[in-house]
Amino acid sequence: MQHSRRVAVIGAGGAGLISARELSREGHQVVVFERNNQIGGVWVYSPEIESDPLGLDPNRTRIHSSLYKSLRTNIPRELMGVRDFPFVPREGEDRDPRRFPSHKEVLKYLEDFANEFGICKLVRFRTEVVFAGMEKLGEWRVEFRCENGDVDYDIFDAVVVCVGNFSQPRIAEIPGIEGWPGEQVHSHNYRDPEPFRGKVVVLIGYASSGGDISQELIGVAKEIHIACRSAKTEPLDEESIISNVSFHPMIESVRKDGTVVFQDGCIVSADVILHCTGYKYNFPFLETNGTVTVDDNRVGPLFKHVFPPALAPGLSFVGLPFKVVPFVISQLQSNWIAGVLSNRIALPSKEEMLADVKAFYEELEALGKPKHRTHKLGGYMPAYCNWLAATCGCPPYEEWRKEMFVATDVNRMVNLESYRDDWHDDELIHQAYEEFSKYTTNEISQNHSN
């Protein structure tokens, strides 16, 4: 027999909204807690930055969003949308029809999604969860601070954590940094290139934000020195040659005279170190008596990145994996959670789940992968999605999605400065829109033919 549970969803960003829909569709009673006054999570742009640009001071003013002003998606819209509500171009003021649209367009998509499925009525806005813990077996106490400052509580059968993973900066450890006189900023607090005009900038990290920000600083900063593990010996393109972009291995140390020493012995006198070094998982409200820990950015133990075996199915996490297509993964994860909570889907025993986690950790270790890459899926994403889909009784992850993800990745590596506007996978786009026509009306075909 299927059961209806009372479920708390923490966060009304992409993962929270998608989870709320999947849980509601399954017949559960859902309450979404959101500390902001609107939905969208990390996709709500704020020009404000935190009082500590490095993000280390625990008493700093906090800004949730990590968006920079010019940010565009780094995966195409065909991949981004949930499967039955494709992210297609829509008519309307301020809409961005580009294939790799601006952050504003992603927020509008999430608003469209929430409106389509009536999710906003489930959300308690300006309500910050300050505590979530098991009261007694099968009962979770959630305490929250209301807009007026009062702390209240409610009891739930289950808690789904959807707080995102792009707001607590992860900082590079640099010998000598205490005495270095220059300025330090984490990319979480980067909004536009203007504050770096005429400065010598050392940028640590060359993944998504590092690549974008380095391109933006060309022609603004005096010099750009990129420190990355896979240091490129050659500049990326002619523009880089002209523009004082240099690649280096990681930083060895920094000195009191303002110089930065790289591992190859190269020394640069710099004004700013910009940490594009990613984020830490952070759940300050969560009390599990040590059952779930964050150890070097490994949230564990978690069965398939979702359920802690000892607390399943009462506690679950949606949206932890990175180097993925987030909304599709959130949809599959939350469909699984919804099905487990209603007794439609059975979880393995606690012992079997723990054994699976142990085997997974041993496999990572054998491959030489550090703990902080536990939740990095990348090329493993299609297999993970197919495992979830099979478990949930959903159709498998489509072949065109796999191919488009790879094609985009390859194009990005070769054409960092132009991949968002110049691509070579039109046949895959055609397959995507054929798929989308199952779910939508004429609006798609009209827009796609433009």
Side-chain angles (χ1 to χ4, degrees):
M1 188 179 120
Q2 289 199 192
H3 286 275
S4 171
R5 310 273 183 197
R6 195 152 190 270
V7 186
V9 172
I10 304 177
L17 297 170
I18 292 164
S19 297
R21 186 195 72 161
E22 295 299 318
L23 289 158
S24 303
R25 276 184 164 178
E26 190 81 17
H28 301 298
Q29 301 157 54
V30 180
V31 177
V32 184
F33 293 94
E34 172 51 56
R35 65 181 177 188
N36 206 337
N37 61 354
Q38 68 183 106
I39 61 168
V42 76
W43 294 102
V44 178
Y45 174 74
S46 167
E48 308 286 314
I49 61 168
E50 298 181 340
S51 52
D52 172 11
L54 205 49
L56 292 179
D57 179 359
N59 302 315
R60 69 191 183 277
T61 56
R62 294 194 185 235
I63 304 291
H64 183 70
S65 183
S66 298
L67 298 175
Y68 26 102
K69 194 175 179 182
S70 68
L71 183 138
R72 289 170 64 185
T73 65
N74 61 358
I75 46 178
R77 65 193 309 146
E78 299 87 20
L79 288 178
M80 281 195 78
V82 301
R83 287 162 115 182
D84 58 332
F85 191 76
F87 186 15
V88 295
R90 290 186 173 223
E91 299 293 327
E93 205 180 329
D94 288 340
R95 298 304 295 233
D96 181 353
R98 291 176 298 179
R99 188 177 181 212
F100 292 79
S102 71
H103 56 81
K104 288 180 187 166
E105 177 74 1
V106 182
L107 180 60
K108 285 189 183 298
Y109 167 76
L110 290 173
E111 288 167 348
D112 292 339
F113 177 85
N115 291 333
E116 177 77 17
F117 299 105
I119 296 163
C120 289
K121 65 179 185 288
L122 307 175
V123 183
R124 295 186 190 174
F125 291 104
R126 291 194 181 281
T127 307
E128 181 176 8
V129 171
V130 292
F131 173 88
M134 194 156 67
E135 182 105 306
K136 53 179 190 254
L137 196 62
E139 208 169 90
W140 287 77
R141 179 187 178 94
V142 175
E143 297 178 8
F144 45 89
R145 188 179 292 112
C146 307
E147 195 174 351
N148 63 8
D150 291 352
V151 174
D152 203 348
Y153 79 95
D154 212 336
I155 301 293
F156 294 89
D157 300 311
V159 171
V160 184
V161 179
C162 305
V163 293
N165 46 14
F166 298 108
S167 58
Q168 182 70 24
R170 196 161 176 265
I171 304 300
E173 290 179 17
I174 305 169
I177 198 68
E178 307 75 28
W180 188 70
E183 184 187 348
Q184 290 188 83
V185 181
H186 188 277
S187 58
H188 177 66
N189 290 302
Y190 174 91
R191 295 295 178 263
D192 65 76
E194 205 44 50
F196 303 91
R197 183 168 292 283
K199 294 182 178 177
V200 176
V201 179
V202 171
L203 194 145
I204 306 175
Y206 199 59
S208 306
S209 58
D212 279 355
I213 292 169
S214 66
Q215 290 288 317
E216 267 207 345
L217 291 175
I218 288 174
V220 177
K222 183 180 175 186
E223 295 172 21
I224 304 158
H225 296 271
I226 298 168
C228 56
R229 288 205 164 77
S230 53
K232 316 270 191 303
T233 48
E234 314 242 336
L236 282 187
D237 49 41
E238 284 178 29
E239 194 178 8
S240 315
I241 297 167
I242 300 161
S243 60
N244 285 351
V245 177
S246 317
F247 287 91
H248 305 269
M250 295 305 275
I251 296 174
E252 179 77 42
S253 63
V254 292
R255 297 174 179 167
K256 288 179 180 170
D257 63 359
T259 54
V260 174
V261 184
F262 296 96
Q263 286 170 355
D264 60 357
C266 179
I267 299 175
V268 169
S269 187
D271 302 303
V272 186
I273 294 177
L274 182 50
H275 296 251
C276 298
T277 41
Y279 295 87
K280 292 178 184 172
Y281 297 104
N282 188 37
F283 315 104
F285 55 84
L286 191 60
E287 180 50 74
T288 66
N289 296 316
T291 302
V292 179
T293 60
V294 183
D295 175 17
D296 187 22
N297 239 21
R298 168 185 285 174
V299 185
L302 291 185
F303 178 57
K304 307 295 186 193
H305 308 279
V306 174
F307 287 111
L311 297 170
L315 179 64
S316 56
F317 295 80
V318 171
L320 293 187
F322 61 99
K323 291 281 184 244
V324 295
V325 179
F327 297 166
V328 171
I329 283 209
S330 294
Q331 182 179 13
L332 286 163
Q333 289 179 328
S334 56
N335 187 291
W336 182 30
I337 294 163
V340 167
L341 288 172
S342 72
N343 291 353
R344 173 172 61 86
I345 301 168
L347 276 178
S349 70
K350 177 180 157 182
E351 292 72 25
E352 287 171 308
M353 288 192 279
L354 275 171
D356 185 276
V357 176
K358 186 168 177 279
F360 173 52
Y361 290 170
E362 285 169 357
E363 185 187 338
L364 290 178
E365 204 171 330
L367 292 167
K369 293 196 176 174
K371 280 185 185 176
H372 62 257
R373 298 228 176 115
T374 299
H375 305 292
K376 178 182 178 178
L377 290 190
Y380 179 66
M381 183 182 66
Y384 179 68
C385 287
N386 278 331
W387 184 90
L388 286 170
T391 304
C392 297
C394 301
Y397 193 69
E398 298 87 348
E399 201 56 42
W400 66 262
R401 288 183 191 270
K402 287 184 214 175
E403 291 177 25
M404 192 180 281
F405 188 73
V406 171
T408 302
D409 223 26
V410 169
N411 195 18
R412 186 190 304 121
M413 282 192 275
V414 180
N415 305 304
L416 181 65
E417 73 292 345
S418 63
Y419 75 93
R420 291 178 173 94
D421 299 299
D422 182 18
W423 55 81
H424 313 283
D425 56 350
D426 286 347
E427 174 49 38
L428 295 173
I429 298 175
H430 177 70
Q431 288 177 41
Y433 277 85
E434 278 194 345
E435 170 88 17
F436 297 166
S437 63
K438 298 178 195 171
Y439 301 108
T440 46
T441 54
N442 299 334
E443 184 179 9
I444 280 192
S445 44
Q446 284 165 4
N447 280 303
H448 185 51
S449 58
N450 289 348

